[in-house]
Amino acid sequence: MQANTISQVGDSLYQAWRSRSVMPALRETYTDITVEDAYAIQKRFIDNRVQAGESIIGKKIGVTSKPVQDFLGVFEPDFGQLTSSMLCTEKDGVNLNELIQPKAEAELAFVLERDLEGPGITAADVIRATAYVSPCFEIVDSRIKDWNIKIQDTVADNASCGVFLLGEAKGDPRKIDITMAGMVLHKNGDQLATSMGAAVQASPINAVVWLANTLGRLGLPFRAGEIILSGSQSQLVPVVDGDVLRCEVGGLGVCETRFHGRSAA
């Protein structure tokens, strides 16, 4: 794709995000779009948000399970940027009026206390650099109509980032086996799913290693204080006004939140 086209598409995604509107699938409009093009579009999209006053506070890792990778036709995860306006709290909950077609997923967040500069990062490096881990929810959202996405679409759309929130529980990854720790997800008091850390790239730590080294090859280090969402341990859960989601990670604790505003699309 030409540079001016990349800029135009990134600007269009930004305007779709601002207006809570959707676009046709990019791969259908731009049949020659590559994953590299999509990351360039993502950068333009996020640059617009930063220029409007937001700051980048971390990264998210997506497409971490083999079934999703098979569906999208890829063999590795993708990533997106977390910005300051995406961060919600358990107390305030999630305002659906700020989203388009949201779905929730439960996962584990890493909060760094040291920089991580790849390539060459190992699992031990990630553990040493982590201040704590917390159970969390990511509320994914898509600016692509009807979630009609393949890898180019979701990457360009900032890995389908919506908003996220961290549970108040904090754990030391040196003391918790986050690979084998079980996760139980409840919706409105009913058990919806069970999982474990190994569902994410064999361990959430491996997902963070992958991203640290991927970003390192691009000259983009992780910085102390950044938040990393390591990838979903649950299915995508549609949410509407009044829903309450709760995930509990064995040996770590709970993240719980309520959704308010209009019903999800």
Side-chain angles (χ1 to χ4, degrees), residues 22-25 101 142-149:
V22 293
M23 301 168 52
Q101 40 189 358
S142 182
R143 274 59 62 177
I144 305 302
K145 186 178 180 180
D146 297 328
W147 279 97
N148 176 22
I149 60 171

Side-chain angles (χ1 to χ4, degrees), residues 235-254:
Q235 73 265 46
L236 292 172
V237 181
V239 285
V240 297
D241 181 39
D243 280 343
V244 176
L245 290 185
R246 173 187 174 95
C247 74
E248 182 170 1
V249 178
L252 177 56
V254 169

